[in-house]
Amino acid sequence: PTAMREIFLEPPRVRWSDIGGQEEVKQRLREAVEWPLTHPEAFSRLGGAPRKGLLLYGPPGCSKTLTAKALATEAGLNFMAVKGAELFNMYLGESERAVREVFRKARAASPSIIFFDEIDALSASRDDSGGGGGGGGGKANVLTTLLNEMDGIEVLKGVTILAATNRPELIDPALLRPGRLDTILYVGPPDLPAREQILQIKTGKMSISTDVDLSHLAEATEGFSGAEVVSICDEAIHYAMRESFSIEVVCARHFEAALEKAVPQITAAMCE
Ligand code: ATP
């Protein structure tokens, strides 16, 4: 595999309005990342120092990735995504090179965001036997490279690091020190109004019958992640099509059938 395959600069297209709920997370990110860029005078007058790195944590499928992309779009930042685990499917030395390369690209593309998904995969404390890692001692080396790169970013140079994890307890503490990922935000499962918003956003792109009651569906999806709420809608489309290829709209009965089959995966242990 080539090291650069996993690193890509993509024009982010997600808007804040594409994300249901999570108002506090959206606001905190705006303040920490957008304000220093859009209001630098006020910020420095008040003695603010921009955040270099932020960590988003919370159960799977609850909009961490979506949030990172929306922040990039709304703040006008270039967006680079790297998955922690993918850094280890590389040959000896390539992972370190890939990390340096992503920072180089991000500096060249600044103002920019580097999004490290599954950052827990880079923890030295994690079992190193899971293959990859350049054959041995890989994780510690990659982590060291990452820490060096983070420390090397001068504040105000316009590169912000956003990292995400479902397993905050596995994060190497070195990553969380001041000047690194020192702002930590919990991205939890959607509450009732958020689930209704997610359903509105998703069904807004579907053809649905007037008998579909979104507030009822929001109630019925208690404990679901955002991704699971969205997948109820996708499943409902399948139920409708199974009935007939000439069906015009997805109806309440299709959503009900999808709900009946759904097995939500989030457990209390994954949440705050
Ligand atoms: P993972 O930890 O599994 O990577 P994540 O927290 O990064 O998950 P996302 O990838 O952002 O989650 O979300 C997965 C999908 O779920 C999104 O592409 C979107 O379709 C849907 N989704 C999740 N949360 C929301 C939300 N709050 N509003 C709208 N869509 C959502």
Side-chain angles (χ1 to χ4, degrees), residues 18-22 58-67 83 115 117-118 164-166 187 190 194 198 201 225-228 230:
D18 294 323
I19 304 176
Q22 306 295 2
C62 291
S63 75
K64 294 184 292 299
T65 305
L66 225 47
T67 299
K83 266 200 206 310
F115 180 59
D117 203 0
E118 306 165 8
T165 182
N166 305 324
V187 184
I198 295 170
I201 293 165
S225 70
E228 288 165 343
V230 167

Side-chain angles (χ1 to χ4, degrees), residues 227-242:
E228 288 165 343
V229 171
V230 167
S231 91
I232 289 291
C233 301
D234 289 319
E235 275 303 303
I237 292 174
H238 287 290
Y239 279 101
M241 288 180 68
R242 273 176 218 161

